[in-house]
Amino acid sequence: MFKHVFLTGPPGVGKTTLVQKACEALVSSGVGVEGFYTEEVREGGRRVGFDVVTMTGERGHLSRIRDVAGASHGRREYTVGQYVVDLPSFENLALPLFRNVGSAAGASRKVFVIDEIGKMELFSQSFIRSVRQTLDGSSCTILGTIPIPKGKPLGLVEEVRSRRDVKVFTVSTNTSTLSGKKERYLGQFRGL
């Protein structure tokens, strides 16, 4: 059996929603869940960016479109398309989660959520190191998302995709396929 499960698919297909549903099912069956997911931020019906949201509900900026992001105040600006990545906000919220994974009392297994390992997150070298250490560690199983291959390969994404201990499922827009796969995704965590 694979230790880690990652979902891939085009933007907007429902990867994050499926991760959230899986987490609800895991928590209701007594499995500890930690980590974070990304969420669209909308204003006036228009997407203006993305936030990082921890499993405990803490929220921080991941990115905003340039006209909403404001000035960079002299620090290096990281961009993906029209979005300016707020690297300090992302790192301040996400990195402590990696440091704390597996530090909770008790020997029970945990699932650590990483939604997602994508272009915006990969500007952080500390995030890259933390993902690698968590994948190699024995304290948790990772449930994560990665983008579909498109354009120039993303190093860490390709590393994840090629690991022997990772099972990658492709999520499609076909809702019957999606609901049918939910049980297979959750089946990967049986025995935790």
Side-chain angles (χ1 to χ4, degrees), residues 18-38:
L18 189 56
V19 165
Q20 290 169 326
K21 297 284 186 203
C23 288
E24 289 170 14
L26 290 165
V27 168
S28 71
S29 64
V31 176
V33 179
E34 300 173 6
F36 67 91
Y37 61 92
T38 56

Side-chain angles (χ1 to χ4, degrees), residues 5-6 8 27-28 47 52 60 72 75 89 128 132 135 177 187:
V5 175
F6 281 82
T8 192
V27 168
S28 71
R47 184 170 68 196
V52 174
S72 64
R75 59 176 194 238
S89 173
I128 293 169
R132 285 180 176 142
L135 281 164
T177 303

